């Protein structure tokens, strides 16, 4: 199993490499991930390649039994490149994104593409037969620092071609986008604009001021641009080697369609920083990210960068407490991780990330974090057979598509509505009941309950598939705004909930964004703060009604029997406890077994074992007992602060 650390030989004096390799070996690490951002060393002048530092370092680490994952360095174009070629992105206001950090290249710049392919190809030629390289990574974190969408002229031209291919005639595009509104018709594809700053956008605003079809298509196009850019590098590498190729994704990040980005890769890798300068994540949020990363290919993944120390760019998050590095490692592995690479081996005294600590501090002396990783590595030797190739037993699915994320970013529907939070609230309630929940698309049949909250853009084939699923006995949960938009981001004109009308067995007679709270009563009680759909049951049965104002006694939550299955319609937002009550109610009816433990206890059911984790900083007595796979002894259910157990099923 891959168990390693990110290590950048160019950051250290050569004389230190051997010592670092020794320390890594002693910690039980067997892989380094390297090369990302070393373009300036690999190609110090245009066309002059020098990989000797990597040859030497890879060899030194190999002598300690440590293999290499080699990354292409294209997220950090060197100065000579930007001096000679205009590869820099433009923002919504037409400003050039100046060089001086990273990720500033435009995916549609011909020169950036050309130079990227060249360096990838030179690397592949050079390292193809190196037996110490076990995998390749393309670039680094596509889209980070808000770099997915560029607004330069190259992008505009490429977008117009992309649209022409899709819409064929400009008349067709005008009709499907409704450009007649405000006289926004285009005469030809050359006329196409990008959704840049315009008269409707208040300055410094994040709100979107364009035709919603244009906005959505630009997001799709920008995502495709990076998929294409990545593919160019993959092809260059695959000409010379068959070793697996990956890219490091960013979990919940949603500007690039990760299903598309993953298609051309052999496996997914991702970067997990639960607690850093920008926030401290709830454990369920991290689990959801892991599930999302497993879900993009429906295949186990690796963690390419795992937080291993305090970290941030100018301020730091907190230092992982004793047990947390081990816990985070097992949390990843429990949700489908098959490899773990910590970021970074040793903290660097200079550069933007001088506060981004790793396994070792700046003085390089092994301390608590190093020894905890060493201990985890030793345990993993025993646990490996339960991790490699293991599958989870899922009961529920949260359907996540990027079209939906984007459509909700473009039109928020209501002031405090946030689609990502909504998806998370459904995941979290399931996780808190220890229901194994996948985050993915497709194959509904594998799940007892499928959630499509506020699933506003629905493709026809999805409706057909989900209808079949329900007919055959599945349970579908939809909510306000589900089924309301077509693939061009226009609203359907049939009666709400439009695409789900037949399945839901209700009509949404009226709806309102809320200026003051409302309440529901019935099977679930809750305050409602954001949105109310006022429902008229057709064939559905009412589970909850409102208690306020003109919609008092009108239906808020319903369930409809359809074929052998059931469709729940949730017409309003719910408080946290009510959400949990709802999920408990639905899951019970769907025959899902739940395990309720004190908050912070996470239980993941795998095909070959059960993983129990305590995310609390205090010991907890759980109801789970069994034979420990970690030490072979009897586990009596008590977990230490941040404790973990793997038990035999
Ligand atoms: C990301 C990048 C790394 C590093 C870390 C810390 O995950 O992939 O190169 O910059 O963040 O900021
Ligand atoms: Zn561009």
């Amino acid at each position: 199993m891959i168990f390693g650390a990110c290590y950048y030989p160019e950051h250290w004096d050569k004389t230190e490499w051997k010592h670092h390799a020794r320390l890594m070996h002693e910690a039980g690490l067997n892989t380094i991930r390297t090369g990302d951002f070393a373009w300036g060393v690999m190609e110090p002048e245009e066309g002059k390649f020098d990989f000797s530092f990597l040859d030497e370092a890879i060899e030194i680490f190999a002598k300690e039994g440590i293999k290499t994952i080699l990354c292409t360095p294209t997220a950090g174009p060197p100065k000579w490149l930007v001096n000679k070629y205009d590869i820099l992105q433009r923002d919504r206001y037409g400003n050039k994104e100046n060089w001086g950090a990273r990720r500033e290249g435009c995916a549609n710049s011909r020169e950036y593409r050309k130079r990227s392919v060249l360096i990838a190809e030179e690397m592949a030629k050079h390292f193809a037969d190196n037996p110490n390289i076990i995998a390749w990574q393309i670039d680094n974190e596509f889209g980070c620092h808000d770099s997915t969408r560029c607004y330069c002229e190259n992008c505009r031209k490429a977008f117009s071609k992309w649209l022409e291919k899709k819409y064929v005639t400009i008349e067709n595009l005008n009709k499907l986008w409704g450009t007649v509104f405000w006289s926004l018709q285009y005469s030809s594809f050359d006329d196409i604009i990008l959704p840049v700053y315009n008269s409707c956008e208040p300055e410094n605003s994040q709100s979107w001021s364009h035709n919603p079809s244009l906005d959505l298509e630009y997001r799709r196009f920008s995502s495709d641009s990076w998929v294409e850019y990545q593919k160019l590098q993959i092809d260059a590498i695959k000409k010379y080697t068959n070793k697996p190729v990956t890219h490091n994704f960013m979990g919940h990040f949603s500007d690039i369609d990760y299903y598309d980005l993953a298609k051309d890769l052999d496996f997914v890798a991702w970067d997990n920083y639960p607690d850093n300068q920008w926030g401290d994540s709830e454990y369920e949020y991290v689990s959801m990210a892991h599930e999302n990363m497993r879900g993009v290919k429906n295949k186990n993944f690796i963690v390419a960068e795992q937080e291993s120390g305090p970290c941030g760019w100018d301020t730091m998050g907190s230092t992982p407490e004793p047990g947390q590095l081990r816990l985070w490692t097992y949390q990843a592995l429990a949700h489908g991780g098959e490899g773990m690479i910590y970021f970074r081996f040793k903290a660097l005294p200079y550069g933007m990330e001088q506060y981004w600590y790793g396994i070792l501090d700046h003085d390089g002396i092994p301390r608590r974090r190093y020894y905890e990783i060493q201990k985890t590595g030793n345990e993993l030797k025993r646990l490996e057979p339960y991790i490699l190739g293991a599958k989870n037993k899922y009961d529920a699915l949260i359907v996540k598509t990027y079209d939906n994320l984007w459509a909700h970013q473009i039109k928020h529907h209501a002031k405090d509505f946030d689609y990502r939070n909504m998806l998370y609230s459904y995941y979290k309630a399931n996780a808190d009941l220890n229901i194994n929940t996948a985050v993915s698309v497709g194959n509904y049949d594998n799940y007892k309950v499928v959630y499509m909250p506020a699933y506003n853009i629905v493709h026809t084939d999805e409706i057909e598939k989900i209808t079949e699923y329900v007919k055959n006995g599945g349970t579908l949960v939809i909510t306000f705004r589900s089924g309301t938009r077509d693939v061009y981001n226009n609203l359907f004109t049939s009666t709400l909930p439009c695409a789900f009308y037949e399945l839901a067995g209700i009509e949404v007679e009226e709806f309102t964004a809320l200026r003051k709270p409302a309440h529901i009563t019935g099977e679930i009680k809750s305050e409602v703060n954001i949105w109310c759909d006022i429902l008229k049951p057709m064939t559905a049965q009412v589970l909850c009604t409102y208690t306020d104002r003109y919609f008092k006694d009108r239906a808020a939550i319903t369930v409809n029997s359809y074929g052998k299955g059931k469709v729940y319609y949730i017409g309003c937002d719910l408080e946290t406890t009510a959400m949990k009550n709802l999920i408990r109610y639905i899951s019970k009816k769907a025959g899902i077994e739940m395990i309720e433990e004190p908050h912070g206890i996470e239980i993941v059911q795998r095909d070959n074992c059960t993983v129990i984790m305590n995310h609390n900083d205090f010991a907890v007595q759980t109801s789970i007992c069994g034979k420990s796979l970690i030490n072979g002894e009897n586990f009596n259910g008590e977990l230490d602060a941040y404790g973990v157990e793997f038990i035999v099923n």
Side-chain angles (χ1 to χ4, degrees), residues 36-37 102 140-141 248 271 273 305 313 343 353 356:
D36 39 332
F37 304 103
R102 60 177 181 179
N140 188 81
E141 292 189 341
N248 55 336
D271 300 345
Y273 295 96
E305 295 180 17
W313 279 8
F343 188 91
E353 294 186 353
W356 211 282

Side-chain angles (χ1 to χ4, degrees), residues 6 8 33 36-37 75 102 137 139-141 144-145 248-250 270-273 276 278 304-306 311-313 343-344 352-353 356:
C6 300
Y8 305 101
R33 174 180 161 276
D36 39 332
F37 304 103
R102 60 177 181 179
Q137 179 189 301
D139 202 284
N140 188 81
E141 292 189 341
C144 101
H145 312 306
N248 55 336
F249 291 48
M250 295 185 285
W270 89 278
D271 300 345
N272 182 28
Y273 295 96
N276 61 34
W278 297 281
E305 295 180 17
Q306 170 64 52
C311 52
W313 279 8
F343 188 91
R344 44 187 294 145
M352 175 71 102
E353 294 186 353
W356 211 282

Side-chain angles (χ1 to χ4, degrees), residues 47 88 153 163 213 311 380 407 424 522 552:
L88 299 173
E153 184 58 15
L163 289 172
S213 306
C311 52
L380 277 172
Y424 176 51
K552 186 173 185 312

